[in-house]
Amino acid sequence: MVPPNYDLFCGRLLLKQALHLAAVQAISILLTFLTMAHDIFVSHSNKDKIVADAVVAHLEREGIRCWCAPRDILSGASWASSIIQAINGCKAMVVVFSANANQSDHIHREVERAVNHGIPIVPVRIEDVLPQGDLEYFLSSSHWMDAISPPVERHFDVLAQQLQALLQLERKPSATPTGSSSQVLISPPRFSGPSPRLMILGAIAVLIVVGGVAAFLLRSRHEEKQMMGASTHPETSQPQATSSLDVAPTVPGISSTSPASPPPVAAEGPLANEYRDWKKLTLITWDNYYLIDHARQRYASWRHAADQGDAIGEFFIGYCYQHGLTVPEEPATAFEWFMKSAMQRNTDAMLEVAVCSAFGLGTQQNAWEYAHWIKEAVDAGNTSAMVAMGVGLYSLPVGPTDKEQGKQWIGKAAATGNFDGVFWSGVTNSNSAVEAGAQLQKAAAAGQPDALIAIVENDRANPQGRNMVEKSLKTMGNPLMVARIIDPTLTGGFYHSNVFPDLTVARLSAMSGEGSAEATRLLRTLMQTGKIPSR
């Protein structure tokens, strides 16, 4: 039998959250649309800033609107998020290319983003060097322009002419004059953006779905926590076993076609085994105990790997800052690390970035970035993202088929071995109380914490109840999940009854002892409000 508190969870809480987010984001999208004022994104190494500034000044004198960091990053805004939004909104990218550019990880990521979105790239070479590594691959088919010999202003004039021709093609794809034999820089086909009205309506629709997804994810995230590799190992990450669904469900805003083969995970490396161990537990519950139990001993190694550009290390460090594991709770810093990992195709980081973008956690609230990153994670086979999307569609359906499609996404994740998916399959099974109960029992047998507590809530005389709740609490890795059981008025948790108060306090204290600044803060709050005795 499904506990009655889930009806409340999927009702008033979700609707209130969704409507609030929809209203806020609709206004945000409108303001963003009205203030978008650049055509060209100028990518450059900070060591080449003088040249980049000269390029920008010359182009803007010719009426070409440019976006260039750090000039156009608003005070207090997330650096990574601002760059991503600027690239998504540009019509072309100019890369100031030099030996410094070859060594810049930021330029590599910016160029990759542009290539993935079909944005035309114009490299401007200011030194007699050739691209190396990823840049050689990404820029090999681009129309190069040399600006090595003086006077450089002459080259900038040619660049401005080419960009003006390109922008004209963007505005009028078929506007080549009859009989013209001159050749201009041709841009690849790109999606032309929706009208302002459709953008606002789309934002509202997306945010209603986000409201449902959020309610699922907020059981394991604090409203003030914020978040920026490889894809996961096939044995432990997002299993690709054949689902009971022959065809992936068609979900609005989500492609039904997954890549033929997600990018492989590195089987070796200092963090690969730890990542696989963590991934095994994510199939039981996303926010599990692995990282909180290991952060104190392993943080230095994770940070070293992250500083070297290791996507797993970047993800782990983001998680540490998210929950204050041996380091301060710094939401914006967490988001930066998650974004770095996501840009390297780590699907778990993609899911974190999606959630941050939905709620403005450590970054500006942005429904479009949410949609982009949740799509990336789902398309890459991340089953936790499938569960999140499914719960959102089921809880707050926008169209007549959304509820059923949500159940299909949840079922697809469950069929591949994700026990969060199994749990939600039980919650959403309205056809048979027997089947729903069987799904909850299956999830509980695997150790899924919500299922364990739900069974005890429904049968408090269960002789194994205390052991089941203790096991559930041990599996949880997010202090807010535990604190919310003690005090349901805390924002952002998943409601459960505090069946054994001594166990919940002991678990939160243990998290604090493991170095979680978040757990320490929550303990202090609970004592100040009288929810638990002062020590």
Side-chain angles (χ1 to χ4, degrees), residues 404-456:
E404 186 58 35
Q405 289 173 350
K407 291 171 68 174
Q408 289 179 355
W409 275 120
I410 292 169
K412 183 177 177 67
T416 59
N418 185 301
F419 287 98
D420 268 338
V422 174
F423 166 72
W424 279 100
S425 290
V427 173
T428 60
N429 192 329
S430 57
N431 299 325
S432 168
V434 174
E435 291 181 12
Q439 292 289 78
L440 290 178
Q441 290 287 349
K442 181 179 179 181
Q448 204 279 342
D450 294 308
L452 285 166
I453 295 181
I455 289 174
V456 177

Side-chain angles (χ1 to χ4, degrees), residues 53-71:
D53 288 345
V55 170
V56 169
H58 194 96
L59 294 179
E60 291 187 334
R61 282 199 302 269
E62 297 298 319
I64 299 173
R65 301 168 296 179
C66 297
W67 193 100
C68 184
R71 182 193 71 173

Side-chain angles (χ1 to χ4, degrees), residues 104 225 369 502:
S104 172
K225 292 189 323 210
E369 282 298 291
D502 60 315

